[in-house]
Every structure is written in C-alpha cells, then in structure tokens.
Amino acid sequence: MLTEAEILAGLKDILARIAGVDPAGIELDALIIDDVGVDSLGFYEILIEADETMGIKIEEKDLLTFKTVRDIVDYVNARAFTATQPAPR
C-alpha cells in the first residue's frame, strides 16, 4: 500500500506531465483546474496515468468531483483503507 507521501509525489508527477508545469510548484491544496492548469480532458488522463503508473483505480463517476490535489489524495487513501480492512463477520 502506498503512503500518503508516495501518492502525493506520484500525483504531482502525473499532474506536472499533463499540465506541463513543475511538480515542485504543485501544492496539496492547489486547485486542479485553476492552479495546476488541468482541463476536463486532463482529468481522464489522470485516471489512466494513476492506474498505469501507481496502480491506483479512480472511478470515472468520481473523477470530475475532485477540486484540489488533496481531494484525489484523500480519495485514494480512503479507498486503500477500506480495501485493506477485513470483511465483517
């Protein structure tokens, strides 16, 4: 399972490639569209790249609900946490 720091680092790399910006300038609370410069098509690139490079599955229905980089990190953390919990008896 990836740590939050690993998720953030991977997402910064993905966002930087998609938006053509320096990953060092991408903050956790940066707005994906306004601050990073990702357009609606770029959101689908995030979905594909996150799966291919980090094995992170993002549901298409959830994709456009993300406003900040933190929203994606929190989403991935929540899904990873529930995936590692044992099934109730």
Side-chain angles (χ1 to χ4, degrees):
M1 185 164 103
L2 296 172
T3 66
E4 185 170 317
E6 291 169 328
I7 294 167
L8 179 57
L11 285 173
K12 282 183 172 187
D13 288 342
I14 291 168
L15 293 169
R17 277 196 304 274
I18 292 169
V21 298
D22 181 0
I26 299 173
E27 299 293 327
L28 193 56
D29 289 318
L31 295 169
I32 298 168
I33 294 173
D34 295 336
D35 297 334
V36 180
V38 175
D39 60 16
S40 58
L41 181 58
F43 274 83
Y44 286 94
E45 292 179 61
I46 294 169
L47 183 143
I48 294 165
E49 290 254 350
D51 185 24
E52 289 178 354
T53 62
M54 298 188 302
I56 295 172
K57 303 271 189 230
I58 298 173
E59 298 291 328
E60 187 174 343
K61 66 180 176 57
D62 299 325
L63 191 61
L64 295 177
T65 64
F66 303 135
K67 303 289 183 232
T68 67
V69 175
R70 182 185 302 275
D71 291 341
I72 302 174
V73 172
D74 289 347
Y75 173 87
V76 171
N77 277 332
R79 291 180 54 90
F81 178 76
T82 56
T84 60
Q85 295 303 302
R89 293 182 186 194

